[in-house]
């Protein structure tokens, strides 16, 4: 189990039939569900939500997305001064950002028409019983 955000690096290959991105080293046995978020423009910020027990995996299929992660100190009343770690995910570099339990996350599209795949190791019911939401401006999500 990881204790801080980390990457699973993939690769891609192109030929006359198109391009394939792959993550052959990712063991997906813990994944319970996935969803896709479409960000139509670069003004949209989706932040902040966190989980004490859930691991999230983020993969950008289209565009570029800035993802922030904050290690939460007190779930009911976290400090607004906590450090935000930021990561840029891009369709041009196949990699998956893992955000472990104990973190809040948020993201902002850096391009129009971005698409981000989110995988989770919890069911929707388990996730909903472990969710903490904070206003978008609570922590600064900038690069």
């Amino acid at each position: 189990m990881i204790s801080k955000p980390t990457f699973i690096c993939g690769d891609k290959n192109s030929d006359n039939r198109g391009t394939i991105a792959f993550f052959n080293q990712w063991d997906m046995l813990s994944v319970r569900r996935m969803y896709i978020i479409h960000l139509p423009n670069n003004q949209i910020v989706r932040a902040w939500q966190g989980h004490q027990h859930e691991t999230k995996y983020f993969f950008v299929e289209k565009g570029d997305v800035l993802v922030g992660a904050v290690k939460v100190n007190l779930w009911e009343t976290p400090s607004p001064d906590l450090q935000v770690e930021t990561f840029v995910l891009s369709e041009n570099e196949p990699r998956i950002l893992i955000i472990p339990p104990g973190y809040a996350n948020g993201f902002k599209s850096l391009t129009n028409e971005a698409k981000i795949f989110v995988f989770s190791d919890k069911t929707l019911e388990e996730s909903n019983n472990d969710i903490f939401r904070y206003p978008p401006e609570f922590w600064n999500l900038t690069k």
Side-chain angles (χ1 to χ4, degrees), residues 18 39-40 55 76 137:
L39 302 165
T55 300
E76 299 296 335
E137 64 280 352

Side-chain angles (χ1 to χ4, degrees), residues 3-16:
S3 60
K4 64 180 188 169
T6 190
F7 287 103
I8 299 169
C9 294
D11 206 351
K12 63 182 178 178
N13 188 37
S14 297
D15 63 19
N16 64 330

Side-chain angles (χ1 to χ4, degrees), residues 46-107:
R46 292 181 63 106
W48 294 94
Q49 74 174 21
H51 300 277
Q52 292 181 33
H53 308 289
E54 182 175 1
T55 300
K56 298 276 188 151
Y57 306 83
F58 296 89
F59 168 69
V60 169
E61 190 269 333
K62 183 178 180 187
D64 298 326
V65 177
L66 177 67
V67 181
V70 177
K71 178 78 170 157
V72 178
N73 59 342
L74 300 169
W75 289 96
E76 299 296 335
T77 57
S79 170
D81 299 322
L82 296 174
Q83 179 183 355
V84 177
E85 298 178 65
T86 58
F87 309 90
V88 175
L89 297 176
S90 173
E91 68 179 281
N92 297 317
E93 184 180 0
R95 59 187 184 161
I96 295 167
L97 175 64
I98 306 171
I99 298 183
Y103 280 80
N105 68 76
F107 46 91

Side-chain angles (χ1 to χ4, degrees), residues 120-140:
S120 169
D121 70 342
K122 300 295 181 202
T123 66
L124 182 57
E125 182 179 5
E126 290 169 328
S127 180
N128 286 337
N129 289 328
D130 178 40
I131 193 163
F132 294 84
R133 294 186 189 275
Y134 311 103
E137 64 280 352
F138 195 77
W139 293 295
N140 188 15

